[in-house]
Amino acid sequence: MATHKHELKHRVCEAIDAQRQRIIDLGQTILKNPEVGFKERQTAKLVADTFRELSLQPQEGLALTGVKAVARGRAAGPTVAVMGELDALINYEFPFANPETGAAHCCGHNAQIASMLGAAMGLFRAGALTHLAGNVAFVAVPAEEFIEIEYRLNLRRQGKIEFLGGKQELIRVGAFDDIDMAMITHSAPVQDGVKMGIGGTGLSFVAKHIQYVGKTAHAALAPHEAVNALNAAMVGLMAIHAQRETFREDENVRIHPIITRGGDVVNAVPDDVTIETYVRASTTDALLSANEKVDRALKAGAMALGAQVCIKNVPGYLPILNDPQLAALFKANGVSLVGEEAFTGPWDKIEGVSGDIGDVGHIMPALISFYPGWKGQAHTSGYVIEDEEIAYILPAKALAMTVVDLLWEDAETASNLLDSYVPLMTKEEYLTFLRTLFEESVFP
Ligand SMILES: [Zn+2]
Ligand SMILES: [Zn+2]
């Protein structure tokens, strides 16, 4: 008797339920063994070993620590990626932090990996691949959190990475070349009655390191012989603030500089002052335009005082774009699991969040869904799982069910989706764009 699509989905969900404790244990193991970006060696090994148990042949060491395994369907067709992020943050107060490194899963990425593996287990144990065309790529991605910038710039200088985010690097090294669309999940704080959802868009950003160099002298005896780098920096900051009236409301520009070095002793004129800031905006055009204004403003400070300014720009992430067709398919599955009232979104609003799923979404259809199973606020020490069903099991089911929809029989749904999809950028355009953001300039 022929299997129907909804029967297959049901079998996949049963298989996930049968692996429930194993999925939760994997998530808890990762929670208790956190590693930060581009250093996730043990976590990557756990993922690769779990792939091997499913008779998958993982590629390891992609973008240093990434792992990818491709499961083939019964015929050729599009490839759908199911992703999870390997990396932790740093938070020494977090209950499961590594006491030496401070690595801590206070963004819930441990659950992403567990549910990605859970989706793989469900699809395999239910024999789903024999009813699907195309491929499923399971990808464990390094370094989503944009942290340890100096460390990563060092890796860049050593030629080990070019970009500072894991998905950016995976795109660069070609790990997405055989992937047509991608899905990922993310943790979220508990919301009244909500078990699953799809958010809105986020902001793109450029990270900036700015150094003003002047000339020191005794602050009272010979200030006329000095070039005050702090005054140059202050003029630069004021010139940034003077730009704010030019930013349009719907561009959501955010510029939030801090002075990280403002002088060493009060009785000598500061000759070395550093500033760090992000420039964020909701579109890449707005980002580029605001970034150019900021650079102009910073140079004005140097010019006014006769100092020198060195500006280093590091590309952050592009705005999150949830593909509407992927979102609709996913939502139908989510609603079938949790009910209409416990599913929220997709939202039509901009959130303050950024993530490198935004970068993926500029070159192929992509979707990030969220799961409010966590107590407390993300990135803080109180961010712990309250509901294991929401955190681990529901995402595994919703991801696997959406894969079934996309690749069912001849993968007609995925093929149709791709036929009507126009990417905002090609891979090459994307890489070129990032490279133009990665710049260092000295003025004058
Ligand atoms: Zn985070
Ligand atoms: Zn996160």
Side-chain angles (χ1 to χ4, degrees):
M1 200 184 85
T3 304
H4 287 289
K5 188 169 71 173
H6 67 267
E7 284 172 24
L8 181 60
K9 286 187 191 177
H10 187 72
R11 288 216 308 266
V12 168
C13 289
E14 278 181 347
I16 290 169
D17 281 331
Q19 294 295 311
R20 180 189 165 84
Q21 200 49 50
R22 171 101 169 98
I23 296 165
I24 293 172
D25 288 347
L26 280 166
Q28 295 295 104
T29 300
I30 299 168
L31 175 70
K32 290 168 187 164
N33 297 278
E35 298 170 300
V36 295
F38 294 124
K39 302 175 187 172
E40 314 96 325
R41 289 182 194 89
Q42 294 309 311
T43 317
K45 185 176 180 301
L46 180 67
V47 172
D49 288 345
T50 312
F51 283 151
R52 283 188 203 100
E53 280 173 28
L54 295 169
S55 305
L56 283 164
Q57 288 159 355
Q59 287 175 269
E60 296 172 76
L62 295 166
L64 299 185
T65 50
V67 187
K68 174 182 169 187
V70 180
R72 313 246 168 242
R74 61 176 180 83
T79 300
V80 178
V82 176
M83 302 189 289
E85 289 158 348
L86 292 160
D87 63 323
L89 274 158
I90 296 176
N91 184 331
Y92 285 90
E93 311 298 317
F94 189 69
F96 305 102
N98 178 316
E100 267 127 55
T101 64
H105 273 295
C106 51
C107 202
H109 295 185
N110 58 307
Q112 290 182 22
I113 295 288
S115 46
M116 181 266 286
L117 293 171
M121 290 174 195
L123 289 166
F124 269 86
R125 288 177 188 271
L129 274 301
T130 57
H131 299 282
L132 306 178
N135 313 296
V136 193
F138 300 100
V139 190
V141 181
E144 189 278 330
E145 300 287 354
F146 208 86
I147 60 170
E148 297 197 306
I149 291 175
E150 264 319 306
Y151 169 77
R152 293 185 194 180
L153 285 174
N154 244 323
L155 292 178
R156 177 177 153 85
R157 275 188 285 272
Q158 294 164 24
K160 291 180 177 165
I161 58 172
E162 179 177 353
F163 304 115
L164 275 56
K167 295 186 199 69
Q168 299 177 324
E169 273 295 284
L170 286 180
I171 292 170
R172 180 182 72 84
V173 301
F176 280 96
D177 287 359
D178 61 350
I179 292 172
D180 297 295
M181 59 189 75
M183 295 187 288
I184 197 162
T185 64
H186 204 284
S187 72
V190 169
Q191 289 171 33
D192 231 4
V194 178
K195 294 181 176 172
M196 197 186 288
I198 298 167
T201 183
L203 304 180
S204 59
F205 70 96
V206 175
K208 298 174 81 73
H209 181 275
I210 299 127
Q211 183 186 27
Y212 280 97
V213 179
K215 187 174 162 225
T216 190
H218 191 289
L221 206 61
H224 54 280
E225 291 174 9
V227 174
N228 191 320
L230 181 60
N231 286 343
M234 289 196 294
V235 173
L237 292 178
M238 290 316 295
I240 290 174
H241 298 322
Q243 310 292 331
R244 294 192 192 273
E245 68 175 4
T246 70
F247 302 138
R248 297 167 61 103
E249 208 109 300
D250 59 358
E251 292 172 343
N252 290 279
V253 174
R254 301 279 185 276
I255 305 166
H256 37 88
I258 56 167
I259 293 180
T260 49
R261 185 176 182 194
D264 299 326
V265 289
V266 69
N267 51 8
V269 174
D271 64 344
D272 185 352
V273 169
T274 55
I275 294 173
E276 282 180 14
T277 189
Y278 280 7
V279 177
R280 307 187 199 232
S282 53
T283 67
T284 45
D285 283 349
L287 178 74
L288 289 179
S289 155
N291 193 43
E292 194 184 318
K293 289 175 183 175
V294 167
D295 283 356
R296 219 166 53 204
L298 292 167
K299 289 175 191 167
M303 186 188 267
L305 275 291
Q308 194 177 55
V309 63
C310 173
I311 305 169
K312 284 184 195 150
N313 292 334
V314 179
Y317 299 149
L318 302 190
I320 290 168
L321 302 170
N322 280 320
D323 180 80
Q325 293 187 70
L326 272 183
L329 284 173
F330 187 92
K331 181 170 182 168
N333 289 315
V335 167
S336 79
L337 287 167
V338 302
E340 193 95 44
E341 61 295 331
F343 194 101
T344 179
W347 297 340
D348 193 20
K349 68 176 186 189
I350 292 160
E351 302 163 89
V353 294
S354 303
D356 54 3
I357 184 67
D359 294 52
V360 177
H362 277 66
I363 61 169
M364 67 179 66
L367 182 74
I368 181 166
S369 50
F370 70 84
Y371 301 84
W374 277 256
K375 277 192 293 203
Q377 264 307 320
H379 295 194
T380 70
S381 58
Y383 200 59
V384 290
I385 290 175
E386 182 176 84
D387 189 319
E388 290 179 334
E389 181 73 15
I390 298 176
Y392 291 120
I393 307 303
L394 289 176
K397 289 182 181 176
L399 286 169
M401 290 166 83
T402 308
V403 167
V404 171
D405 277 328
L406 287 163
L407 301 181
W408 173 251
E409 284 191 333
D410 299 325
E412 204 186 328
T413 304
S415 300
N416 287 344
L417 191 152
L418 290 171
D419 282 347
S420 62
Y421 175 79
V422 183
L424 276 171
M425 296 174 174
T426 64
K427 173 188 167 182
E428 287 314 316
E429 285 167 345
Y430 162 76
L431 292 175
T432 304
F433 174 70
L434 279 202
R435 286 175 183 134
T436 59
L437 294 178
F438 225 136
E439 57 176 10
E440 199 174 320
S441 60
V442 179
F443 178 86

